[in-house]
Amino acid sequence: MSSLQAVHNIPEICARLGITDVVLSPGSRCAPLTIAFARHPDIQVRTVPDERAAAFIGLGLAQAQRRAVALVCTSGTAGLNYAPAVAEAYFQQIPLVVFTADRPPEWIDQLDGQTIRQADLYGAHAKGSFTFPADTTHPDAQWHAARLISEAIGLAEQFPAGPVQINVPLREPFYPKQGEELQFGPVRVTRELPGRSLLPAAQLQELRDAIRNTSRVLVVAGQHRYNADLLLAVRQFAAAYQVPVVGDLIANLHLPAAAGYDQRNAPLGRQDVFMAVPEAGLKEALKPELLITFGQSLISKALKLYLRGAKPAEHWHIQPAGAVADTFQSLTKIVRMEPADFFAELSSDSHVTSQQEHVAGSIPVEPTNSAEPQGFDSNRGHATSQDATRVAPRPQPLGEPVRLTWASADADAPAKVAYLRPWQAAENWATGFLREFMQQPNQPFNEFTAIYRALQQLPDHTALHLANSMAVRYANILGVPAGRIVEVFANRGTSGIDGCTSTAVGAALAQPNRPVVLLTGDVAFFYDRNAFWHNYPTPNLKVILFNNHAGGIFRLIDGPRQQPELEEFFETRQPLTAENTARDFKLRYLSVSTFTELESALPVFFAAESGAALLEITTDSPTNAEFFEQYRAAVRSSFSTP
């Protein structure tokens, strides 16, 4: 038996426990792992030289496939380059199994080359750290080695999922002799069967009674992957109890829940718009008594700050296991259930569901004969979109503001309906306001409107990846067209820019028959160019790059934009374009700097036959900031008291 047999068994254990994708970066110390994974018939191995990009590509694969992916690297600083993706996977709850090859323990701290302290390399940002035996000649060590791999994979996949490290000390020789065949197994694996917790009937009834007897109940969803059962359960819960449901774009509540669903009554997603209205009366009307949350982080800072100030009397968070954050400083109860099970169980009571006839999955609203959404006071016809370049005059003034109104207290309306109406009115007003504002004529060429127009043309069934900084914020304001089947992803676990492109590349590799679209800014894009440094085609990947030659976000937030050091020390202006990157990595390249060019380019860019493509939209950072400030000023002035 080879002295490396226990190492050669690692791929067999991985394959039997469902890991079929491995992303590795070349090196000498990891050679036994590399060869074993490469020769295993049931493992697909991809080589990415840059470890930071490799780890984010692995994260994108795991995110898209909804199962664990393995990473393999050599010893020394290679493993440190995995750290940003490992942290993102930890906070986004994505299973990664990280194999870091290492020197044997006696050579640590002995000035041997490519050697650092690799045990527990990721600290609190990994769910666990395991050390593979350095010597596996004894049968007990072989049993221990196999058991350890099973335990690590099981831990990575347990809810909440996350990354684990397996540090593998290896002694020479690393390579099999010429003509030597590797043997895989036999191995014994330990499988974990997931269970789903359900509260006792009496406790469920207590929760139903509390919701039924509370007038102001609000549901807020954090980041969450698409889940058809959850979508339908949330809508049925909202209809049964007449409560508003609010979620950022990355909560994926915007997706249609069922055939025949009336999209006008979807969960609300315009909070970044209407929460910016400085009207105390509206904020008071929206204030909850009971807040129910599920999912992970929120993009909307406005909603986050509002809920911290609103201080609901009760705040329940729904999560089956793991630590729970008190994001809104109001947490009073943790309900240990899957969110889909919670909402389904609480709306299953016959007394609750019989209170309201409704289309499956919809939130009933009063019928209206008007084509305009409720809460939207339109005082002029739709503006037609006109082309303008970056040097065009300012947009025409909005004139009389598109005003937000909300229903006054109605003594005859049930209390829950009276609370639901202002949320719906605010949502409908925000939808109409955005439509009017984004279509106003004579705009200077700017990235906010360019993103709006790109989102309107997204193909159905797209996996939309949003890079951090402004791309994810713009998209959360604007949303995707109603009824469009677009699942949304973003690295909001740590909200870093360092692997946004690589994550999208991983998603494109995982689902080659699905359109994958990345919206990104120039700083995030150029920071992560090595995402394309590999030999695997991604014809389904479309990258829209908004290049304002700076970190434009710093012109949009108070603090840095008022400082004389803005351009050099915050924006860090740069002269690059993506043309050379596109040529180097064989991406179809399109470049636009006017609305006319953009409208011509988008159909070509999104066409499946265009293959992997990069659309570079060049704008001016000060112009972007000025236009976005006009948008914010218009929001602030667009309300009227009831």
Side-chain angles (χ1 to χ4, degrees):
M1 177 185 292
S2 167
S3 62
L4 290 172
Q5 187 59 52
V7 175
H8 296 162
N9 286 343
I10 290 174
E12 177 69 12
I13 298 170
C14 287
R16 290 183 59 180
L17 291 177
I19 295 180
T20 60
D21 288 88
V22 175
V23 181
L24 64 84
S25 298
S28 179
R29 184 63 53 171
C30 61
L33 287 164
T34 298
I35 293 169
F37 276 114
R39 294 188 186 181
H40 195 283
D42 298 325
I43 301 285
Q44 181 169 8
V45 179
R46 298 177 177 89
T47 302
V48 179
D50 183 325
E51 285 88 1
R52 189 184 71 199
F56 276 107
I57 288 173
L59 184 146
L61 283 161
Q63 187 183 63
Q65 295 177 340
R66 302 190 180 191
R67 63 174 184 263
V69 166
L71 306 175
V72 176
C73 71
T74 195
S75 63
T77 58
L80 288 173
N81 284 290
Y82 281 168
V86 168
E88 178 64 31
Y90 181 83
F91 288 109
Q92 208 181 138
Q93 300 175 0
I94 295 174
L96 293 178
V97 180
V98 181
F99 292 95
T100 53
D102 198 3
R103 290 288 196 276
E106 64 268 19
W107 285 106
I108 306 302
D109 290 328
Q110 299 305 311
L111 303 182
D112 208 21
Q114 212 167 312
T115 304
I116 65 172
R117 299 169 185 175
Q118 290 183 202
D120 198 19
L121 191 60
Y122 308 110
H125 293 117
K127 287 188 68 181
S129 179
F130 300 80
T131 299
F132 199 80
D135 294 298
T136 55
T137 53
H138 194 281
D140 286 355
Q142 295 165 20
W143 160 77
H144 171 58
R147 192 196 73 209
L148 179 149
I149 301 299
S150 286
E151 288 178 2
I153 294 172
L155 180 61
E157 294 181 333
Q158 287 172 12
F159 187 93
V164 298
Q165 179 199 7
I166 304 173
N167 198 50
V168 185
L170 294 164
R171 292 194 175 95
E172 297 188 50
F174 302 143
Y175 302 94
K177 296 177 181 178
Q178 187 173 1
E180 179 183 348
E181 292 187 6
L182 269 60
Q183 301 297 319
F184 300 108
V187 296
R188 183 186 299 273
V189 300
T190 304
R191 300 180 186 276
E192 293 204 19
L193 302 180
R196 302 177 78 164
S197 59
L198 190 63
L199 296 181
Q203 288 189 345
L204 287 171
Q205 191 58 48
E206 286 180 12
L207 297 178
R208 289 190 192 100
D209 292 342
I211 294 169
R212 186 184 297 116
N213 296 327
T214 303
S215 300
R216 293 167 164 251
V217 180
L218 173 66
V219 176
V220 173
Q223 182 170 20
H224 204 287
R225 68 186 190 184
Y226 166 71
N227 181 317
D229 292 340
L230 175 61
L231 285 179
L232 189 56
V234 166
R235 284 161 166 77
Q236 290 174 334
F237 173 89
Y241 289 99
Q242 292 287 279
V243 301
V245 177
V246 180
D248 285 332
L249 193 59
I250 57 174
N252 284 299
L253 295 183
H254 58 278
L255 289 155
Y261 170 70
D262 184 350
Q263 189 66 22
R264 291 176 304 174
N265 302 327
L268 315 178
R270 302 291 191 191
Q271 60 275 7
D272 261 346
V273 183
F274 62 76
M275 280 292 172
V277 174
E279 166 53 26
L282 175 62
K283 299 294 175 61
E284 184 61 32
L286 302 181
K287 188 174 180 179
E289 297 170 351
L290 167 59
L291 174 64
I292 301 174
T293 60
F294 66 94
Q296 299 169 44
S297 63
L298 289 180
I299 299 170
S300 176
K301 185 176 181 180
L303 179 60
K304 194 184 305 183
L305 294 178
Y306 171 72
L307 290 174
R308 286 176 186 169
K311 289 289 185 277
E314 289 280 321
H315 173 194
W316 306 349
H317 185 76
I318 318 304
Q319 182 174 305
V324 173
D326 189 7
T327 304
F328 310 115
Q329 301 177 317
S330 58
L331 189 64
T332 58
K333 188 172 293 182
I334 299 169
V335 181
R336 292 301 189 184
M337 292 178 67
E338 287 285 349
D341 293 340
F342 171 84
F343 291 111
E345 286 291 330
L346 265 70
S347 56
S348 64
D349 182 72
S350 59
H351 175 70
V352 172
T353 54
S354 65
Q355 290 178 7
Q356 186 70 256
E357 292 293 329
H358 61 278
V359 177
S362 68
I363 303 175
V365 295
E366 291 183 346
T368 175
N369 296 323
S370 170
E372 293 291 348
Q374 293 174 311
F376 176 58
D377 177 18
S378 179
N379 47 47
R380 63 190 185 286
H382 286 296
T384 57
S385 176
Q386 296 183 14
D387 178 65
T389 67
R390 187 163 12 110
V391 297
R394 292 186 179 186
Q396 292 180 351
L398 286 175
E400 186 65 24
V402 182
R403 296 196 174 277
L404 169 61
T405 60
W406 62 93
S408 302
D410 184 349
D412 297 327
K416 280 187 167 57
V417 173
Y419 179 62
L420 174 62
R421 282 176 177 168
W423 280 99
Q424 290 180 324
E427 176 80 2
N428 290 333
W429 165 81
T431 299
F433 172 85
L434 280 173
R435 181 183 63 220
E436 293 287 319
F437 186 87
M438 301 312 296
Q439 294 181 0
Q440 62 184 306
N442 298 323
Q443 297 182 30
F445 190 65
N446 71 91
E447 61 189 14
F448 191 36
T449 303
I451 285 183
Y452 172 77
R453 297 191 183 188
L455 290 171
Q456 298 302 304
Q457 296 196 35
L458 285 174
D460 246 349
H461 304 288
T462 289
L464 175 63
H465 282 250
L466 302 171
N468 283 311
S469 200
M470 285 310 299
V472 69
R473 290 172 170 83
Y474 282 144
N476 199 52
I477 292 170
L478 297 168
V480 297
R484 196 73 54 83
I485 303 174
V486 175
E487 189 176 4
V488 183
F489 302 87
N491 285 349
R492 299 301 292 180
T494 61
S495 302
I497 66 166
D498 33 11
C500 301
T501 305
S502 294
T503 304
V505 168
L509 291 169
Q511 299 178 316
N513 297 319
R514 183 185 192 184
V516 176
V517 176
L518 169 67
L519 299 186
T520 184
D522 52 303
V523 177
F525 176 83
F526 291 120
Y527 195 86
D528 195 24
R529 274 186 293 190
N530 279 354
F532 304 107
W533 187 23
H534 56 79
N535 299 319
Y536 309 101
T538 54
N540 55 327
L541 178 63
K542 312 287 186 180
V543 178
I544 303 180
L545 166 60
F546 295 90
N547 191 352
N548 55 37
H549 297 288
I553 188 173
F554 293 107
R555 286 188 180 270
L556 302 177
I557 56 178
D558 287 334
R561 66 175 176 165
Q562 287 90 5
Q563 306 307 315
E565 294 86 359
L566 172 65
E567 288 196 12
E568 182 175 359
F569 297 106
F570 291 95
E571 278 195 313
T572 56
R573 297 190 63 80
Q574 50 79 23
L576 300 174
T577 72
E579 186 173 7
N580 289 338
T581 300
R583 183 181 64 248
D584 289 344
F585 297 111
K586 297 179 174 56
L587 308 173
R588 180 169 184 171
Y589 178 70
L590 300 90
S591 176
V592 304
S593 57
T594 69
F595 285 129
T596 297
E597 292 172 348
L598 178 63
E599 294 301 323
S600 297
L602 284 172
V604 176
F605 171 76
F606 281 126
E609 57 269 22
S610 292
L614 193 159
L615 172 61
E616 185 166 25
I617 301 175
T618 303
T619 62
D620 175 66
S621 187
T623 301
N624 293 333
E626 183 179 356
F627 185 81
F628 195 65
E629 184 53 42
Q630 291 173 14
Y631 155 77
R632 293 197 288 200
V635 171
R636 288 193 296 267
S637 65
S638 298
F639 70 92
S640 60
T641 55

